[in-house]
Amino acid sequence: MENRSAKNSLIALGPGWAAGIYTDSVREKLDQLLGAAPVFQDPKSIFEDPDRLREVDILFSGWGSPKLDQRLLSAAPNLKAVFYAGGSLDGLLSQEFKASGIRTFSTIQLNSEFVADYTTSLIYLSLKGFWNLTDQIRANRRFPDAAQAQVPGLRRAKVGLVSLGRIGIATAQQLKRWNIELSAYDPYFSAQEAKRLGIRLTTLETLFAESEIVSIHTPLKEETRHLIKSNHLARMPAKAVLINTARGPVIDEKGLVEVFNKRPDLKAILDVTDPEPFVPDSPVSKLENVCITPHIAGILGRDLECFGAAIADELERFLKE
């Protein structure tokens, strides 16, 4: 593909993300590939300079990206490719954009690996009895009696995964090295592929009833909203742990509050809530057996540069086509 000049490329990303993803070293590589570094544009004002947008043929973006829809298609008639430093593009891409022939590149696989790492770490801590033991130490200000005997251990632990997309599969692959017994609920996943991965497919009810740890990886769609209900949570074994790094509305939060109020032995680690962020005095935030983190499972902090480096590599391959 012919060389492009930087005046025809744009980084549409808020300053909070832009500096971390498109660092000096990443911009230097873009500069080398394009002849000069692309300019930054706040996505909130991207349509305020129609002349600039009209000439853009490469758009770099990420979280906070403008919608990839008919409005953008009309405003940027020369657009050839979008490089998205983030996760899934599903919520951004309109049907018109999908049909336009414009190439889209995403770092979804890279982000999925980070989420899987985070999830696996939580599962590891859970099977070490981390939550129960630290709660006891905080409450009693001393080591628990027979503390080491309270550690469940990893081998032959029963872990259930809700959905086997990129993150679910990556998590399963990491867990296999510990000889963990894996089951999953995913009505669309191939039984043959599940067998190859060493995963037993089962019903949602059975998964919750049998698993010491349940990890949710379900994308939010109309049919998955409130997929996890109180009757599922109530089936969880004693001292079971629920992990959600997917989307908050996949769980019926009212049902979770109801069950976890009655079952102080259960533990939930929620990296997502419904709504997000949760409202002040949210009932779920008051539960002592629920740990909430502010959507940190994916790439953040110094690791954001991994996104930028991956985008630069994708651009180099694209320009060679």
Side-chain angles (χ1 to χ4, degrees), residues 275 277-283 285-286:
F278 58 83
V279 297
D281 294 323
S282 166
S285 70
K286 298 178 181 179

Side-chain angles (χ1 to χ4, degrees), residues 166-183:
R166 285 183 177 87
I167 299 171
I169 291 174
T171 301
Q173 290 172 330
Q174 292 192 30
L175 293 176
K176 289 304 292 183
R177 73 178 188 266
W178 294 330
N179 196 27
I180 284 175
E181 295 181 13
L182 291 172
S183 60

